[in-house]
Amino acid sequence: MKVLFVASECAPFVKTGGLADVIGAVPKALAALGVDIRVILPVYPALARVAKTGKIVTKFDELFGGEARLIAAKSEGLNLLLLDAPHLYDRPGNIYLDDSGQDWPDNHLRFGALCFVAAKVATEGIKRWKPAVVHAHDWQAGLTPLLIRQAGAKTCPRSVITIHNIAFQGLFHWTVKDTFSIPDELFTHEGAEFWGHLGFLKAGLSFSDKITTVSPTYARELLTAEFGMGLEGVLQARRGDFSGIVNGIDLRAWNPSTDQALAKNYTSRSLGNKEQNRVALRTRFGLGSDASGPVFCVVSRLTEQKGLDLLLEALPVLVGRGAHLALLGSGEKHLEQGFLDAAQQYPGQVGVIIGYDEELSHLMQGGSDAILVPSRFEPCGLTQLYGLRYGTLPVVARTGGLADTVTDADDAAIKSKRATGILFTPVTSAALRDAIHRTCDLFDQPKVWRSLMRNAMRYPVGWDQSAPAYLELYETIATK
Ligand code: ADP
């Protein structure tokens, strides 16, 4: 089975969030199942070095305003097709935003071009390689299924689109449809049109053969007005083709027994070694050595979605219980300032680093006792999965993939050795405060806490189940 992944980011090359981790990991898991898989990505500055090691497979004299080349390269165990179009991608900083934090004004061209070339590879093939299935990820890849459909039924490979976060839909002025020669019959309410705009994600949802999202609970939530962000009707109409497949993580990149970013490696049989990581973490965050409660951490974008304003409200309880907080994140200015102020207000108890630091994020998983994820919605969430793997108990809102991957430490689950963390609902600061109290109560019972850590570390967080689920899905459409 030949499969083409279309995505805008991929770890370890370029990452703004969980999407990159998934794109970096699933292809390897699928390749291990015998899938011949390639990943098409734009050549941002972060990929220039890899692009130089590859071979040009196609040239475009003119691709939406400039010359471009498609380069085949191998790196980090992935077969890459790199779209080198400097006029679109050779820009410093964030891959989606300009210096002032606004979307690049030509994002429709930047990601439309990616879809255009992906659809070309899909329908015409390159160097005798032609995919049976094209798997598009998020709005940036959303036009691909439409463009494939437009190319005609005979040569069409099948397509899947995965929603990693429905909050980002890629909505553009309706005239953009002409840039991509989208005919009026596809620009309808049942097609690519969304309230007068061209919707890249909407196009993907309307024209792909299958739709997935990254957890079963988020799939159910997306069918409701509360979570569907205006696309719930489209998803309801395509219910029969829509399912949730939970994300896994890269077990090699995230392994406490080999992780180079840790001060000391450990396994579930040497949990005492976690202490050295705790010491290293305290030093990095200026935390005192006097915590009588757990060390909580947060590694997150600081946005409304992530519910961290609720944590600011609940902080007096956390420090009142003798716990500490180490937070690494960046995002909305008022949240960044809120946490910086909290670090001033509770010196030695609350430590805050504003920024993005992949290596430090590993030490945080290794050196904390619990990881807080109070999200208002969470398609899957990855940091709680890293937490499970590192014996850092997730304290999470009962929503989306958080609800699917963490088992609440109620009495029955503790007794049956299934409990792996704390879940709370509704997503309010009062419920979060209760969850912090419950976590501290459990932490005060070292035997119970240790057994929770072991349960967490045993929980399967790899791709063992989800990669075969994707393959099965591809097989149902490819053989049709
Ligand atoms: P989302 O994709 O919504 O941001 P996820 O939990 O799915 O949330 O994935 C976030 C990914 O980004 C995780 O791998 C997490 O460790 C990483 N991450 C988030 N913020 C930071 C940060 N400030 N520094 C390092 N890694 C971060």
Side-chain angles (χ1 to χ4, degrees):
M1 163 92 63
K2 293 186 175 65
V3 175
L4 177 68
F5 262 39
V6 190
S8 58
E9 48 184 286
C10 176
F13 312 110
V14 56
K15 166 169 167 178
T16 72
L19 170 66
D21 290 301
V22 174
I23 304 304
V26 195
K28 288 185 228 167
L30 284 168
L33 298 174
V35 178
D36 175 2
I37 182 160
R38 304 197 182 178
V39 184
I40 183 166
L41 293 167
V43 179
Y44 311 106
L47 270 150
R49 205 177 44 80
V50 178
K52 282 211 178 80
T53 67
K55 279 198 184 124
I56 297 174
V57 288
T58 313
K59 283 188 178 173
F60 300 88
D61 293 338
E62 212 289 322
L63 185 73
F64 303 105
E67 283 182 5
R69 317 174 295 165
L70 191 63
I71 297 167
K74 276 189 187 187
S75 184
E76 301 284 341
L78 299 168
N79 278 316
L80 304 171
L81 289 172
L82 299 172
L83 179 57
D84 184 22
H87 62 294
L88 298 174
Y89 309 123
D90 186 13
R91 300 172 192 183
N94 187 290
I95 58 175
Y96 306 122
L97 311 174
D98 65 17
D99 276 353
S100 61
Q102 302 295 313
D103 290 340
W104 290 108
D106 58 349
N107 271 352
H108 57 293
L109 292 181
R110 300 176 70 230
F111 298 107
L114 177 70
C115 298
F116 176 84
V117 174
K120 217 170 158 52
V121 171
T123 51
E124 296 170 15
I126 34 147
K127 306 265 173 209
R128 289 193 299 278
W129 189 88
K130 193 164 176 243
V133 173
V134 175
H135 191 159
H137 295 270
D138 267 353
W139 76 262
Q140 294 87 350
L143 275 195
T144 317
L146 180 154
L147 296 173
I148 291 173
R149 186 72 65 94
Q150 218 177 316
K154 261 195 199 153
T155 54
C156 266
R158 303 293 172 165
S159 63
V160 179
I161 186 159
T162 294
I163 305 165
H164 293 262
N165 191 337
I166 207 155
F168 305 105
Q169 301 186 356
L171 294 179
F172 299 103
H173 195 270
W174 67 272
T175 49
V176 168
K177 78 181 173 57
D178 298 330
T179 311
F180 298 101
S181 311
I182 297 171
D184 286 345
E185 62 266 27
L186 301 186
F187 189 70
T188 62
H189 184 59
E190 289 73 34
E193 185 256 345
F194 187 72
W195 297 104
H197 288 76
L198 170 63
F200 272 37
L201 182 63
K202 171 101 189 281
L205 300 181
S206 302
F207 294 105
S208 58
D209 294 287
K210 293 283 177 189
I211 303 167
T212 71
T213 189
V214 289
S215 70
T217 296
Y218 192 54
R220 281 192 298 277
E221 289 170 346
L222 286 181
L223 296 171
T224 68
E226 189 185 349
F227 291 93
M229 302 207 175
L231 288 171
E232 61 276 8
V234 183
L235 291 168
Q236 284 161 15
R238 298 222 46 206
R239 215 186 194 121
D241 293 316
F242 176 41
S243 60
I245 297 177
V246 76
N247 279 340
I249 62 172
D250 186 330
L251 297 181
R252 270 202 216 151
W254 294 90
N255 181 351
S257 70
T258 56
D259 194 329
Q260 296 293 309
L262 300 190
K264 181 96 181 168
N265 291 116
Y266 61 94
T267 68
S268 58
R269 279 194 227 99
S270 55
L271 289 174
N273 288 353
K274 218 168 164 9
E275 180 57 23
Q276 271 152 278
N277 297 308
R278 210 173 280 122
V279 171
L281 185 74
R282 278 197 205 113
T283 309
R284 277 298 286 275
F285 280 87
L287 298 171
S289 53
D290 54 345
S292 54
V295 176
F296 289 92
C297 74
V298 170
V299 181
S300 184
R301 290 185 290 122
L302 303 180
T303 64
E304 162 89 10
Q305 176 197 339
K306 300 293 179 178
L308 292 163
D309 50 317
L310 307 176
L311 177 58
L312 279 174
E313 289 171 28
L315 268 185
V317 167
L318 189 150
V319 295
R321 288 292 306 244
H324 285 174
L325 173 70
L327 177 138
L328 168 65
S330 61
E332 289 166 16
K333 294 295 163 238
H334 72 280
L335 288 171
E336 291 184 353
Q337 196 53 51
F339 281 103
L340 288 170
D341 291 347
Q344 296 248 310
Q345 191 181 351
Y346 303 110
Q349 291 174 291
V350 173
V352 172
I353 294 179
I354 299 299
Y356 190 95
D357 187 333
E358 187 73 29
E359 191 168 338
L360 180 57
S361 75
H362 285 243
L363 177 64
M364 297 183 73
Q365 297 285 1
S368 307
D369 299 297
I371 178 154
L372 285 160
V373 194
S375 304
R376 292 191 163 87
F377 67 94
E378 193 58 78
C380 179
L382 293 178
T383 59
Q384 86 282 7
L385 300 180
Y386 303 137
L388 292 168
R389 176 105 166 122
Y390 282 63
T392 299
L393 301 188
V395 179
V396 303
R398 192 185 287 280
T399 186
L402 300 172
D404 290 335
T405 55
V406 180
T407 305
D408 185 62
D410 59 25
D411 289 345
I414 290 177
K415 271 200 194 105
S416 59
K417 296 202 180 303
R418 287 179 301 110
T420 57
I422 306 289
L423 286 151
F424 67 91
T425 189
V427 192
T428 60
S429 59
L432 175 58
R433 275 195 285 267
D434 287 348
I436 290 169
H437 276 304
R438 281 183 66 208
T439 309
C440 293
D441 292 345
L442 289 164
F443 188 77
D444 287 342
Q445 307 165 61
K447 255 191 154 168
V448 175
W449 189 267
R450 279 205 163 218
S451 84
L452 296 180
M453 287 171 80
R454 292 208 176 90
N455 299 346
M457 292 177 84
R458 257 202 324 269
Y459 184 82
V461 287
W463 285 98
D464 285 0
Q465 290 171 25
S466 297
Y470 278 123
L471 181 53
E472 214 171 285
L473 186 74
Y474 302 155
E475 278 164 352
T476 59
I477 47 177
T479 54
K480 243 188 203 171

